[in-house]
Amino acid sequence: MTNNTMTKGMSRIDGRLKVTGAARYSAEFTPAGMVYGVLVGSTITKGSIRLIDTKAAERAPGVLKVITWLNSPKIAGYQVEHGKPEPAKGTYKLFYNNKILFNGQPIAVVVADSFERALFAASLVKAQYNADPHHTNLRDNAAKAFAPEGDGTTKRGTEDAWKTAPVKLEQEYIIPSEVHSPMELHAIIAKWDAEDKLTVWTKTQGVQDTRDGIAGIFKLPKENIQVNSKFVGGAFGSALQVWPHEVAAILAAKAVKRPVKLLLGRADMFTSVGYRPYTWQKIGIGATADGKLVGITHEAIGQTSTYEDFNEGPIGVSRSTYACPNVNTIYKLAALDIGSPTWMRGPGEATGAFALESALDELSYELKIDPIELRMKNYASTDPESGKPFSSKFLDEAYKLGAEGINWKDRNAKPASVTKDGWMVGYGMGGGMFGAYRDKAAAKAILMADGTLIIQTAVSDIGPGTGTAMVTIAAGVMGIPADKIRFDMGDSSLPLAPSQGGSATTATVGSAVYQACTDLKEKFQKLIGNGGTDHPDYAAILKQHSLPKLEVTVESSGGTERDKYAFYSWSVHFIKVLVHPATGVVKVDRAVCVADSGSIVSPKTARSQIVGGAIGGIGMALMEETVIDHRYGNIVNNNFADYHVPVNADIPQIEALFVNKPDPHINPMGAKGMGEIALIGMAAAVANAVYNATGKRVRELPITPDKLVGMDLELS
């Protein structure tokens, strides 16, 4: 890239729109004639609906329609072809029959002329059930776990080699279910423009994937569906698929022949848009006396629903993070009477890293070796799984940056040995890794007669500052000020873009933007002929040639580089905690997070990514836990009073550092993803710091005061 100084430290291009309220989110559009839908959820966990009474709701003021499985229009994509058997498993089918598969499952949608009237009428819908025995507790059903399709069992070298190591340990680690808790609730407005044409405004991480999903469910041509998602107030994986509430709104709009808005309540967010699955893990790990790993065995059981097998694969981190000759993994799923889990920031790796990075910390104490030194003794210079060289890896530099930033030299290797002002002091660290990807994307670049550059692509921005990064790339290539660039996105009619997920957006869409601007610049150079400059006066050239604009559209994707190299992003998190010995309260006193994710395209938004992920990791470590009353199968803390997430008072100043060295193989910018690694490893870093402070190892998250209180430790 050229002209980097022009965009160094550039603020968000949409910042003013967001802070002034001018940014319009999916629930804020008001097509003419719009009415409102509210879902009614099941109050049992498993069984069937014996009777559903909608008469009182239908007679309520302003009610236009109440849709249940009894009167719902048939959904073409849900129907089984004649003569073929019903699939044993698949995504949940709304209003398909009277079966109840999980607590809170939608059993009706009420449509009325105001939200308040729809909400009141929904309370009048009454159902009688035939309840069956349900199972929602993974611990009680672990024995019934099964291997997912593709088998979660792998082996490299000798199985269970850790058992023969001179120094070894085996421990279990548990992560509870966590819910996506974005500021913006999920919402959709559905509007039928014709019998087979549909426009929706919905919260999605990918407008074209949502378009394709709706097309498959309703058997509509893709080109007849317009999906808009200009602004997204956080998603973290919760908006990567078409959910039942979206299907309900589209159905309702069809039934009443008017646009329908359906907004989920906060309690609905716990049952309607997926979550990180409760996962039990066991790690056996062994090393030589000088710290060289001999073997790792990583077992895990994750929960899934009875109707869909969700596989996030938490055991992968143990195969690829460290140089270890003998690694075997076993992964199973337990099918429970719950809604399906889904991808959540750092999916799989965040879960697995808590176990692996905690176990490695425990091993460091057994060996009496510094945790950083232990990691460096087992530093993988090539991918242990594939044997390929890494496209780039500077994790060793990240260790040094983080250790200096946190003052790791102040750490006392003896647990529960340092106090300050009545608080116990501890240091911990944990690492993260996540695949670095470049998918296929397209971009259009248009240079207008007034010198304005317009970049268009269908990508969504769920909060990381995608528009800012794309404008930064375009400004660098074209050599024009950022305020002369407009970035259009979140519209399914624009050029191809994948969903925003898996930390691949900048690498993927950024490559298309880079190439489009490069090609556009070459077009201008051809107009100029010999003697052209690096940064010509584009407007003057257009005027000289009597052109109203010049544009190019390109499609970009990776090549054969993945046949030669292993692509990953890396992180390391350093934490200092204070623990009160009498109350068990944990305070995160300092956090230093370092990312090795190639070139940093947009410094301000990159820092925000790291800080946001670190906060999520602190919540994962200390607070977040979905609690189910297994007697009834319902979530009892489905609100922000009882489901705790970090607030400002819980978070110290977080220092975000970057190695900032380009990856020479992944894309023209040398940039790799960082959204996932910002969180992966953070929970383990906090847990390891708590152990260093107290001498008490907590292996079941979250680390709440009740697990630490009564330590009865003398303060020095």
Side-chain angles (χ1 to χ4, degrees):
M1 291 176 63
T2 60
N3 204 36
N4 275 338
T5 56
M6 186 175 298
T7 52
K8 186 177 180 181
M10 187 174 76
S11 296
R12 287 177 179 263
I13 61 171
D14 56 3
R16 183 174 294 274
L17 293 175
K18 289 180 175 178
V19 300
T20 60
R24 297 175 71 192
Y25 293 79
S26 295
E28 297 183 294
F29 291 86
T30 53
M34 185 177 74
V35 293
Y36 300 82
V38 170
L39 293 174
V40 179
S42 165
T43 57
I44 69 163
T45 299
K46 184 180 181 181
S48 60
I49 303 170
R50 185 170 73 249
L51 176 69
I52 187 162
D53 184 356
T54 61
K55 292 185 176 61
E58 290 165 342
R59 290 194 296 264
V63 172
L64 305 175
K65 190 81 173 178
V66 180
I67 300 173
T68 71
W69 73 279
L70 291 169
N71 65 345
S72 172
K74 297 297 182 186
I75 299 175
Y78 290 168
Q79 307 311 306
V80 178
E81 288 185 39
H82 182 69
K84 289 192 174 182
E86 183 85 23
K89 291 190 175 183
T91 56
Y92 170 72
K93 297 178 179 180
L94 182 77
F95 304 152
Y96 184 67
N97 54 32
N98 68 334
K99 292 182 180 178
I100 299 299
L101 304 175
F102 58 94
N103 204 290
Q105 172 186 316
I107 62 170
V109 60
V110 178
V111 185
D113 58 7
S114 76
F115 171 72
E116 292 78 11
R117 285 177 160 180
L119 189 65
F120 170 70
S123 71
L124 302 178
V125 175
K126 305 299 179 185
Q128 296 177 22
Y129 302 95
N130 294 314
D132 294 332
H134 62 263
H135 303 281
T136 56
N137 190 324
L138 184 140
R139 297 192 201 206
D140 291 346
N141 293 273
K144 301 175 185 176
F146 59 93
E149 189 175 346
D151 194 357
T153 300
T154 67
K155 183 175 74 171
R156 180 171 76 235
T158 303
E159 187 173 339
D160 291 338
W162 69 272
K163 293 180 178 180
T164 62
V167 182
K168 62 195 175 196
L169 62 89
E170 184 180 42
Q171 295 292 353
E172 298 181 8
Y173 305 89
I174 291 173
I175 286 183
S177 294
E178 301 172 69
V179 297
H180 303 97
S181 303
M183 185 179 295
E184 180 200 16
L185 298 164
H186 277 249
I188 177 174
I189 298 171
K191 173 177 172 286
W192 288 88
D193 303 303
E195 192 64 25
D196 63 347
K197 288 189 176 182
L198 176 68
T199 298
V200 300
W201 296 261
T202 190
K203 176 170 182 161
T204 175
Q205 292 175 238
V207 288
Q208 290 177 334
D209 281 352
T210 291
R211 175 200 65 191
D212 297 351
I214 292 171
I217 292 170
F218 288 91
K219 298 300 181 185
L220 295 171
K222 293 179 184 179
E223 60 271 18
N224 287 10
I225 303 171
Q226 172 63 38
V227 178
N228 306 293
S229 190
K230 300 289 186 184
F231 293 94
V232 179
F236 313 110
S238 68
L240 284 171
Q241 66 191 78
V242 178
W243 291 107
H245 72 273
E246 295 173 293
V247 177
I250 295 168
L251 270 180
K254 189 83 165 179
V256 301
K257 296 181 169 34
R258 293 172 69 174
V260 171
K261 177 198 285 190
L262 198 157
L263 173 69
L264 294 184
R266 182 57 65 183
D268 298 324
M269 297 287 288
F270 284 71
T271 57
S272 302
V273 292
Y275 53 90
R276 193 189 306 279
Y278 183 109
T279 304
W280 167 91
Q281 300 177 81
K282 182 166 69 175
I283 286 191
I285 188 168
T288 60
D290 63 350
K292 292 290 289 184
L293 289 176
V294 171
I296 300 173
T297 295
H298 190 164
E299 300 177 60
I301 301 175
Q303 69 181 29
T304 188
S305 65
T306 57
Y307 55 88
E308 183 178 15
D309 294 347
F310 176 76
N311 176 352
E312 71 164 0
I315 37 72
V317 292
S318 289
R319 297 197 298 263
S320 299
T321 304
Y322 299 106
C324 181
N326 307 296
V327 178
N328 60 291
T329 64
I330 304 161
Y331 181 49
K332 294 182 178 180
L333 299 175
L336 304 176
D337 300 310
I338 52 175
S340 281
T342 193
W343 311 110
M344 189 167 176
R345 192 175 193 172
E349 281 81 355
T351 301
F354 169 64
L356 177 63
E357 294 296 295
S358 295
L360 205 67
D361 194 69
E362 297 200 48
L363 185 63
S364 76
Y365 284 96
E366 294 287 334
L367 292 163
K368 296 181 172 53
I369 294 177
D370 182 272
I372 300 176
E373 182 185 350
L374 179 59
R375 285 164 172 80
M376 286 305 302
K377 281 179 177 287
N378 298 283
Y379 194 82
S381 298
T382 58
D383 181 12
E385 188 72 354
S386 68
K388 296 176 185 177
F390 293 115
S391 58
S392 67
K393 183 180 181 182
F394 304 103
L395 182 59
D396 51 346
E397 296 184 32
Y399 288 149
K400 293 176 183 177
L401 282 171
E404 291 171 3
I406 200 74
N407 294 320
W408 188 254
K409 65 182 187 304
D410 294 342
R411 170 186 177 269
N412 193 314
K414 182 181 178 182
S417 61
V418 180
T419 61
K420 182 181 179 182
D421 300 327
W423 293 75
M424 310 177 81
V425 181
Y427 291 80
M429 55 90 66
M433 66 174 295
F434 197 82
Y437 304 102
R438 177 184 175 184
D439 298 321
K440 183 185 292 185
K444 178 184 282 189
I446 311 165
L447 205 297
M448 306 300 293
D450 63 356
T452 300
L453 175 65
I454 301 171
I455 304 292
Q456 296 181 329
T457 180
V459 70
S460 294
D461 182 354
I462 63 174
T466 300
T468 307
M470 298 305 117
V471 168
T472 300
I473 292 168
V477 174
M478 297 293 291
I480 62 177
D483 60 9
K484 294 285 287 182
I485 302 173
R486 190 185 89 203
F487 185 67
D488 295 339
M489 62 178 175
D491 176 333
S492 62
S493 67
L494 295 177
L496 172 73
S499 289
Q500 184 162 81
S503 298
T505 300
T506 299
T508 298
V509 180
S511 295
V513 170
Y514 183 100
Q515 191 60 53
C517 290
T518 299
D519 289 1
L520 183 61
K521 191 173 179 179
E522 288 178 359
K523 268 196 170 186
F524 273 99
Q525 293 292 349
K526 288 178 181 177
L527 288 177
I528 298 170
N530 293 332
T533 64
D534 276 347
H535 304 302
D537 185 338
Y538 299 110
I541 297 168
L542 289 174
K543 184 176 181 181
Q544 180 184 345
H545 290 81
S546 301
L547 294 172
K549 62 182 179 180
L550 204 60
E551 68 179 64
V552 298
T553 301
V554 302
E555 189 172 279
S556 166
S557 63
T560 60
E561 62 273 4
R562 289 193 179 272
D563 297 334
K564 305 173 185 176
Y565 301 100
F567 291 85
Y568 291 96
S569 292
W570 313 86
S571 64
V572 60
H573 307 283
F574 288 86
I575 294 292
K576 177 185 176 185
V577 299
L578 306 175
V579 183
H580 195 275
T583 64
V585 168
V586 178
K587 287 184 181 180
V588 179
D589 187 60
R590 286 199 66 205
V592 177
C593 305
V594 191
D596 171 23
S597 54
S599 294
I600 304 304
V601 170
S602 174
K604 280 191 176 181
T605 57
R607 180 186 180 278
S608 292
Q609 276 287 282
I610 296 300
V611 170
I615 292 170
I618 291 170
M620 184 180 188
L622 300 179
M623 302 162 195
E624 296 192 50
E625 178 182 18
T626 303
V627 178
I628 295 178
D629 184 336
H630 297 296
R631 296 173 299 171
Y632 309 108
N634 64 306
I635 297 171
V636 297
N637 63 335
N638 55 358
N639 56 77
F640 278 162
D642 300 309
Y643 183 90
H644 294 169
V645 297
V647 298
N648 285 342
D650 300 312
I651 304 299
Q653 185 69 25
I654 296 171
E655 189 171 359
L657 304 175
F658 302 93
V659 176
N660 199 14
K661 289 187 175 180
D663 185 303
H665 304 291
I666 192 166
N667 56 48
M669 301 86 63
K672 298 191 287 189
M674 69 178 67
E676 320 294 340
I677 59 167
L679 183 147
I680 297 167
M682 174 57 85
V686 175
N688 295 339
V690 168
Y691 176 75
N692 183 248
T694 67
K696 188 162 186 177
R697 180 69 65 175
V698 180
R699 302 184 182 92
E700 180 172 357
L701 297 181
I703 306 170
T704 46
D706 57 294
K707 295 172 183 174
L708 296 172
V709 73
M711 289 178 287
D712 196 26
L713 297 169
E714 286 189 23
L715 298 177
S716 57

